[in-house]
Amino acid sequence: MSVPVTDKEKRKQISVRGIAQVENVANVMKSFNRHLHYTIIKDRHVSTQRDYYFSLANVVKDHLVSRWIRTQQHYYETDPKRVYYLSLEFYMGRSLTNTMINLGIQGACDEAMYQLGLDIEEMEEMEADAGLGNGGLGRLAACFLDSMATLAMPSYGYGIRYEYGIFTQKIENFEQCEEPDDWLRFGNPWEKARPEYTVPVHFYGNVVYTAEGGRKWVNTEVVLAMPYDNPIPGYGNNVCNTLRLWSAKSPLSFNLKVFNTGDYIQSVLDRNIAENISRVLYPNDNMFEGKELRLKQEYFLCAATLNDVVRRFKASKFGSREVARTNFDLMPDKVAIQLNDTHPAMAIPELMRILLDDEHLAWDQAWTVTTKCCAYTNHTILPEALERWPVTMLQELLPRHLEIIYHINHLHMEQVKAKYGDDAEKLKQLSCIEEDGEKRVNMAHLAIIGSHTVNGVAFIHSELIKKSLFRPFYEYWPEKFQNKTNGITPRRWLLLCNPMLADLISEKIGDDWPVHLDQLAQLKQWAKDPKFQVEVMKVKQQNKIKLAAYLNEQTSIDINPASLFDIQVKRIHEYKRQLLNILHIITLYNRIKKNPSAPFTPRTVMIGGKAAPGYYMAKQIIKLFNKVGAVVNSDPVVGDKLKVVFLENYRVTLAEKIMPAADLSEQISTAGTEASGTGNMKFMLNGGLTIGTLDGANVEMAEEMGNENIFIFGMTVDDVEAVQAKGYNAYDYYNEIPELKQVIDMIKDGFFTPGNDTEFKDVADLLLHNDRFLTLADYKAYVAAQDDVSATYNNNSKWAEMAIHNIASSGKFSSDRTIAEYAREIWGMQPNYEKLPDPHGLVDSKENSPK
């Protein structure tokens, strides 16, 4: 077992980012002291760790602003095509370290803080995560922003500045409790409010004819959208793009009726109601709830953003405020709008409304412009996740948009008739209005009709939406459908979170790989080299020791750093099958109890993730895991062989600690349910091996690294369909596999809940009676694959070789590759590897010089 890293060694770990130049260090120290004095207004005697963090953040921001202004000026002067990435979620995490790395000033900042006698890591811990997302979809948006800036693409992220992000998860009495995430409590040093660009957003009201025979939306209630701009620095290229987040503000004018009754105080208090629109992120992942406030949030984002998009399109590039461009036929050459799932699909009728009612275009011209600008990314095939808004709600909240949607659908149906005749079934399948039961608008169908391109997020997922979910649309418009396999940014997910591994890689292949991740393939030549194997595993061991120490501090559980770290982190959901993992843990426990002296590969099994607050079964899964953990961890017969640890409040910042330390990554969803997954890629890039089904991006990971370097098990999509066709009977497996029967009986009969035998009866009922995700059908194959994992882990050199192949095969899964494909194949743009000039002419010696 390796020893903990000393302070000196820790400081050596940033060598890949070069030796900081003396004058840069001196400048940072001077700037830091100046901000402490003039910005924070404290001296060193009374300053807190948080004050130091804010001072450093301001120092780093000083290095950003010239690049930010220059980048925006450059776009203004060159008038390029711009891409607008619309998402209800941006799961950004922290910004300090990422910004230092991308600007090439991490070495100078680290050395400066060291010379001031401060611990930069303690300061980094003061930053709140920007948790404006639930999981994969929101984190993908964040990785995409990093890649678009690194590829110097004129791009803008557009989202909502939620006052409260994803809830903070606390485990109390074995159960999840939610606390509000007041992430802005101490202020956000990265954002800049832009009140001068505030735009009105309308709701309610009614629609009337104008004198010219057009339509006009009147008598509306207005909410103001105030933008806050957040810098998105590219890696080493002096580009800085913008993430603009909208905040809801009540307009200044009162509702006059109320005002005239003299209730001035109540009128001021009621301003809160309008401002609730941007108050809180909905904590549902892969689940549509249909709440009016959520629809308001979606439209609020679309209306405010499209106002910006049209304003920017119309503005001249010569610095005059006058409108220069009025020919909207040119708009698709200057504007690409990407819809991150259907949440921003109201952008389609909203752009139509602007073009028809405000810009007075004819319908056909407006529709051509709209469809040429918009593209839609689908993120899930789970039916319960699809957005279907009741017509009654739209009629009240957005009456003009409902009219437009009806007309879009009417013209679309006419075209369908032209192709298929009066085929009632075809018309129903291809309509975006659902007529059975309560009348609803199917937002995915609207997004497909109103977009020029529709994409899935992994090869298998894109094939499945063509085969099942959107089959009628694929048959009607095959040319619209594409695949864009997801990716992750190697800056945050390797350079930032695993500096020791990053160093090791750079020693072998140079330091271009962070922007050309396919270069990692060069590492394959050393996969069998015993010296390199030892170095890679030494880094892994040190990361494990670090995580074990952190978890011991958090949970008081003693973790054996030599044990196999078996980790499943993701949202808690039945389809992700954390239950299958739990069945395996109990199986291992039973084996140890049955034969305590038998050889056993020590394991620490960790699960982390949040359950939606209203998702009863997901919360039961967390409780069951924790109850099993309590029994296993306190059993003296088990000792160090098996530990069970729940990773509380899983978030971006915790993922950065987990990914480098994992030996085994659990990607065990039922085949055909996980669209892609991106956590799988983070583990892979950091040398963790995967146990997984042939689902999502696992399929392509296996393809890249070879089946001999991944533990694939279980049913394929075809097998799943066959089992469902025949009729899944869980009892077939329960009665056939004695180990499985024993495990389920223990859950059912209260073994883990003495004094409350029925506590998990509903979990057992789910598994045996109504499990849509066929958990028991994969149990046998899963346990066999896990036995293979244990045997392989005992063969150090084999495991190391597999780990190196995982790292070396990660190139495809850079979000840079994903974004380059979106650019060329959807947006009609080119990625660019050239740098903008450095506004300061200051960069550490070796830092950030991508070719």
Side-chain angles (χ1 to χ4, degrees):
M1 197 173 92
S2 313
V3 292
V5 196
T6 66
D7 191 46
K8 189 155 178 269
E9 281 173 325
K10 195 160 73 184
R11 291 186 51 244
K12 266 184 8 205
Q13 285 167 20
I14 36 178
S15 62
V16 69
R17 282 161 301 280
I19 293 84
Q21 292 175 357
V22 176
E23 67 271 27
N24 290 5
V25 176
N27 282 334
V28 170
M29 288 167 73
K30 193 169 144 193
S31 180
F32 178 85
N33 285 325
R34 190 181 160 78
H35 275 296
L36 196 58
H37 190 84
Y38 288 102
T39 311
I40 310 301
I41 315 179
K42 291 263 190 101
D43 65 30
R44 286 287 297 267
H45 300 295
V46 293
S47 294
T48 62
Q49 205 58 250
R50 178 165 282 106
D51 296 326
Y52 295 141
Y53 156 67
F54 275 108
S55 291
L56 180 58
N58 277 288
V59 171
V60 172
K61 195 164 65 175
D62 288 348
H63 286 259
L64 256 187
V65 289
S66 308
R67 292 173 168 93
W68 201 1
I69 291 169
R70 287 279 189 92
T71 302
Q72 302 310 313
Q73 284 173 340
H74 175 70
Y75 294 155
Y76 193 59
E77 286 154 12
T78 53
D79 190 31
K81 184 169 187 177
R82 293 166 158 93
V83 58
Y84 295 94
Y85 196 84
L86 272 66
S87 181
L88 265 281
E89 302 184 21
F90 287 93
Y91 206 168
M92 302 297 288
R94 291 175 178 164
S95 293
L96 177 60
T97 317
N98 184 249
T99 305
M100 293 191 298
I101 288 172
N102 280 12
L103 293 187
I105 60 173
Q106 195 188 19
C109 291
D110 188 74
E111 184 59 32
M113 295 306 102
Y114 185 78
Q115 289 186 22
L116 288 167
L118 297 171
D119 184 337
I120 197 166
E121 280 192 25
E122 281 181 28
M123 291 155 72
E124 289 164 349
E125 286 297 319
M126 297 313 299
E127 182 173 2
D129 270 45
L132 307 185
N134 276 287
L137 174 148
R139 183 54 233 175
L140 184 79
C143 284
F144 278 4
L145 294 181
D146 184 83
S147 287
M148 288 187 282
T150 296
L151 297 179
M153 295 180 54
S155 57
Y156 302 77
Y158 272 93
I160 293 177
R161 181 180 177 269
Y162 301 108
E163 216 170 292
Y164 294 89
I166 186 64
F167 61 84
T168 300
Q169 179 192 55
K170 289 271 193 312
I171 301 297
E172 280 167 24
N173 210 359
F174 306 101
E175 296 180 282
Q176 167 178 299
C177 300
E178 301 89 25
E179 288 181 359
D181 164 43
D182 191 4
W183 71 290
L184 292 168
R185 181 168 62 247
F186 298 103
N188 175 1
W190 306 107
E191 69 183 6
K192 178 72 186 85
R194 301 280 186 203
E196 66 275 25
Y197 291 109
T198 297
V199 298
V201 175
H202 299 264
F203 293 101
Y204 303 108
N206 56 293
V207 190
V208 295
Y209 280 102
T210 63
E212 301 78 37
R215 299 291 277 164
K216 192 177 177 192
W217 188 14
V218 296
N219 303 322
T220 57
E221 291 182 19
V222 175
V223 177
L224 302 180
M226 185 193 288
Y228 285 75
D229 286 352
N230 299 263
I232 306 292
Y235 178 75
N237 63 354
N238 299 313
V239 168
C240 187
N241 286 337
T242 302
L243 166 61
R244 176 163 283 185
L245 301 175
W246 299 102
S247 182
K249 290 285 282 182
S250 180
L252 284 177
S253 57
F254 287 133
N255 177 333
L256 283 176
K257 272 205 292 282
V258 175
F259 187 58
N260 290 337
T261 65
D263 203 343
Y264 161 75
I265 296 290
Q266 196 54 47
S267 304
V268 174
L269 299 185
D270 287 345
R271 293 167 59 82
N272 267 327
I273 296 164
E275 294 172 2
N276 277 336
I277 289 177
S278 57
R279 194 81 66 202
V280 59
L281 168 74
Y282 271 86
N284 300 329
D285 193 69
N286 279 302
M287 182 69 199
F288 173 63
E289 216 186 351
K291 292 279 192 277
E292 185 185 50
L293 180 60
R294 170 68 170 197
L295 179 58
K296 278 186 175 172
Q297 289 181 339
E298 293 180 354
Y299 177 66
F300 175 77
L301 168 65
C302 295
T305 301
L306 282 163
N307 184 286
D308 254 19
V309 170
V310 171
R311 172 181 58 77
R312 221 174 262 127
F313 167 72
K314 287 164 73 171
S316 92
K317 62 175 191 174
F318 301 114
S320 77
R321 276 277 185 192
E322 291 163 43
V323 170
R325 246 194 303 249
T326 49
N327 180 2
F328 279 90
D329 291 333
L330 302 174
M331 193 162 154
D333 300 329
K334 293 295 177 186
V335 171
I337 296 166
Q338 191 66 37
L339 308 176
N340 194 25
D341 214 66
T342 57
H343 314 146
M346 288 304 297
I348 292 166
E350 172 63 10
L351 182 51
M352 284 298 288
R353 186 196 65 78
I354 293 169
L355 296 177
L356 296 168
D357 299 0
D358 299 349
E359 302 297 338
H360 308 295
L361 269 61
W363 179 281
D364 289 350
Q365 185 190 8
W367 184 241
T368 301
V369 171
T370 298
T371 54
K372 281 185 173 176
C373 285
C374 295
Y376 157 56
T377 302
N378 171 270
H379 280 274
T380 181
I381 61 169
L382 294 182
E384 63 266 37
L386 298 177
E387 294 195 295
R388 295 152 62 248
W389 289 107
V391 161
T392 49
M393 195 185 287
L394 284 164
Q395 178 65 61
E396 190 194 4
L397 195 67
L398 301 167
R400 177 65 179 126
H401 297 78
L402 184 60
E403 277 188 358
I404 290 169
I405 290 167
Y406 275 145
H407 196 57
I408 288 170
N409 199 53
H410 166 72
L411 295 175
H412 170 58
M413 290 288 95
E414 293 299 308
Q415 290 185 314
V416 172
K417 277 182 205 163
K419 179 165 180 174
Y420 293 123
D422 262 330
D423 182 334
E425 190 53 28
K426 272 275 184 274
L427 290 169
K428 186 180 160 189
Q429 291 173 342
L430 288 164
S431 172
C432 69
I433 310 293
E434 298 181 356
E435 307 273 2
D436 29 285
E438 188 183 13
K439 210 170 175 188
R440 294 171 174 270
V441 176
N442 182 314
M443 298 307 281
H445 290 185
L446 177 62
I448 296 169
I449 296 164
S451 296
H452 62 86
T453 304
V454 178
N455 73 281
V457 290
F459 176 76
I460 187 175
H461 169 236
S462 297
E463 291 303 302
L464 280 171
I465 63 177
K466 294 191 296 194
K467 233 176 62 188
S468 56
L469 184 64
F470 299 144
R471 181 174 191 157
F473 285 96
Y474 175 63
E475 288 169 353
Y476 185 72
W477 274 313
E479 68 286 353
K480 273 196 189 189
F481 288 77
Q482 295 188 18
N483 172 245
K484 294 287 167 277
T485 298
N486 284 162
I488 58 173
T489 171
R491 274 74 63 180
R492 185 175 294 266
W493 297 115
L494 181 46
L495 210 48
L496 180 157
C497 72
N498 200 344
M500 290 186 286
L501 182 59
D503 263 0
L504 194 53
I505 292 168
S506 294
E507 280 167 25
K508 286 289 188 193
I509 65 170
D511 46 23
D512 270 359
W513 60 264
V515 274
H516 299 287
L517 200 65
D518 46 355
Q519 291 181 8
L520 291 184
Q522 295 170 44
L523 294 171
K524 287 182 185 174
Q525 61 190 299
W526 294 290
K528 283 180 160 33
D529 174 1
K531 187 169 172 294
F532 188 58
Q533 288 183 355
V534 167
E535 287 175 320
V536 168
M537 293 324 283
K538 187 181 162 199
V539 166
K540 179 64 76 180
Q541 195 54 40
Q542 293 196 320
N543 287 326
K544 287 173 70 175
I545 289 165
K546 214 168 155 182
L547 180 64
Y550 171 81
L551 292 176
N552 180 254
E553 202 181 293
Q554 301 286 312
T555 65
S556 311
I557 298 173
D558 270 322
I559 292 167
N560 169 14
S563 65
L564 190 163
F565 281 18
D566 169 349
I567 307 185
Q568 185 176 22
V569 283
K570 47 186 78 247
R571 286 296 291 253
I572 311 293
H573 200 297
E574 288 161 71
Y575 88 84
K576 293 178 186 283
R577 296 203 297 191
Q578 283 92 354
L579 276 174
L580 183 57
N581 193 340
I582 295 171
L583 297 181
H584 176 246
I585 295 167
I586 302 172
T587 304
L588 291 182
Y589 173 73
N590 289 340
R591 287 177 179 180
I592 296 170
K593 295 291 280 183
K594 189 174 173 189
N595 191 350
S597 57
F600 187 89
T601 306
R603 274 197 196 225
T604 303
V605 185
M606 309 180 209
I607 291 184
K610 294 174 183 177
Y615 188 172
Y616 170 75
M617 191 51 70
K619 289 185 141 180
Q620 284 296 94
I621 291 169
I622 292 175
K623 188 171 187 180
L624 174 61
F625 180 81
N626 286 322
K627 286 285 194 180
V628 170
V631 169
V632 172
N633 296 344
S634 62
D635 192 321
V637 175
V638 176
D640 241 8
K641 291 177 182 172
L642 184 60
K643 285 279 185 271
V644 176
V645 181
F646 188 80
L647 302 166
E648 188 177 83
N649 198 32
Y650 180 62
R651 60 199 185 281
V652 174
T653 294
L654 186 52
E656 290 164 10
K657 295 176 167 72
I658 291 165
M659 298 300 168
D663 291 310
L664 187 68
S665 154
E666 300 261 359
Q667 309 297 334
I668 58 179
S669 52
T670 313
T673 61
E674 189 72 88
S676 166
T678 46
N680 45 6
M681 301 167 188
K682 290 159 197 167
F683 284 112
M684 177 185 179
L685 181 60
N686 284 279
L689 305 192
T690 299
I691 183 167
T693 50
L694 283 174
D695 199 19
N698 299 354
V699 177
E700 289 158 86
M701 285 163 50
E703 217 169 85
E704 292 296 301
M705 72 179 84
N707 279 335
E708 66 280 9
N709 293 304
I710 184 167
F711 301 96
I712 295 289
F713 75 93
M715 296 177 289
T716 62
V717 169
D718 290 344
D719 297 335
V720 167
E721 283 173 10
V723 167
Q724 284 167 335
K726 156 168 109 57
Y728 169 65
N729 182 3
Y731 277 97
D732 294 347
Y733 307 94
Y734 171 81
N735 292 321
E736 201 180 288
I737 310 163
E739 276 194 312
L740 173 59
K741 183 176 191 304
Q742 184 189 1
V743 168
I744 294 209
D745 289 347
M746 288 163 77
I747 294 170
K748 195 169 57 186
D749 302 339
F751 180 89
F752 300 102
T753 51
N756 186 359
D757 295 351
T758 58
E759 171 74 79
F760 296 118
K761 183 181 177 302
D762 37 18
V763 176
D765 280 350
L766 172 85
L767 289 171
L768 290 171
H769 299 290
N770 41 23
D771 177 9
R772 294 163 55 202
F773 303 106
L774 318 180
T775 308
L776 302 196
D778 269 340
Y779 170 84
K780 197 173 175 179
Y782 179 57
V783 171
Q786 288 284 23
D787 292 343
D788 189 16
V789 168
S790 291
T792 310
Y793 187 72
N794 291 327
N795 179 343
N796 289 354
S797 116
K798 175 70 180 146
W799 190 275
E801 184 186 337
M802 290 172 75
I804 293 163
H805 272 291
N806 271 261
I807 298 164
S809 306
S810 295
K812 174 178 179 177
F813 303 106
S814 169
S815 47
D816 297 350
R817 185 267 319 150
T818 311
I819 285 299
E821 289 182 10
Y822 275 95
R824 295 190 181 105
E825 297 163 26
I826 298 180
W827 303 330
M829 298 166 73
Q830 282 300 321
N832 177 4
Y833 289 94
E834 285 169 30
K835 286 184 178 188
L836 287 181
D838 180 358
H840 301 291
L842 282 180
V843 159
D844 290 349
S845 57
K846 194 184 117 183
E847 294 193 41
N848 289 359
S849 50
K851 306 291 177 282

